[in-house]
């Protein structure tokens, strides 16, 4: 999870409304692999949400604390996620309403 107060900070502990909910969250995240690029995507999204115009590469690196290589790795990861989602059964590629 990305801290809303500072997009350059790392992850934080999730909040739950009950012990059962906390156990479900713990189980979900315990089995889920950590992907650094996913954290970086959150930082970039937060930086984009907090701007009214276009960001230069320098603006983006300053706002996120990431370097250009990390930003490129994040872009590639996001593209792969979109492709995987579109190719999955029920994904955008199988949407016949277009």
């Amino acid at each position: 999870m990305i801290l809303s107060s500072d997009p350059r900070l790392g992850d934080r502990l999730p909040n739950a409304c009950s012990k059962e909910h906390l156990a479900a969250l713990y189980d979900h995240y315990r089995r889920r692999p950590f992907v650094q690029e996913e954290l970086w995507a959150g930082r970039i999204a937060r930086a984009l949400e907090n701007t009214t115009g276009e960001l230069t590469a320098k603006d983006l690196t300053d706002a996120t604390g990431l370097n250009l290589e990390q930003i490129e790795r994040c872009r590639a990861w996001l593209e792969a996620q979109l492709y995987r989602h579109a190719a999955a059964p029920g994904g955008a590629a199988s949407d016949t309403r277009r």
Side-chain angles (χ1 to χ4, degrees), residues 2 6-10 35-48 56-75 78:
I2 305 300
D6 186 346
R8 294 175 300 161
L9 295 178
V35 178
Q36 189 69 50
E37 290 80 0
E38 185 175 13
L39 175 64
W40 298 341
R43 290 181 182 182
I44 292 170
R46 180 78 61 203
L48 294 173
T56 66
K58 174 141 178 35
D59 293 337
L60 193 56
T61 58
D62 290 346
T64 61
L66 302 173
N67 62 43
L68 292 177
E69 179 184 346
Q70 292 168 319
I71 292 169
E72 175 57 25
R73 284 178 48 195
C74 176
R75 186 212 53 80
L78 285 168

Side-chain angles (χ1 to χ4, degrees), residues 84-95 97:
R84 185 175 61 97
H85 175 72
S94 65
D95 189 350
R97 296 175 289 165

Side-chain angles (χ1 to χ4, degrees), residues 18-36:
S18 67
K19 288 181 181 181
E20 294 79 16
H21 184 214
L22 180 60
L25 287 173
Y26 176 81
D27 188 52
H28 170 77
Y29 285 104
R30 181 179 54 83
R31 290 182 280 137
R32 188 172 178 267
F34 177 79
V35 178
Q36 189 69 50

Side-chain angles (χ1 to χ4, degrees), residues 1-2 14 16-17 23 25 44 47 50-51 53 57 62-63 78-79 96 98:
M1 296 178 161
I2 305 300
C17 58
L25 287 173
I44 292 170
N50 292 329
T51 188
D62 290 346
L78 285 168
E79 188 175 282
T96 59
R98 293 183 191 205

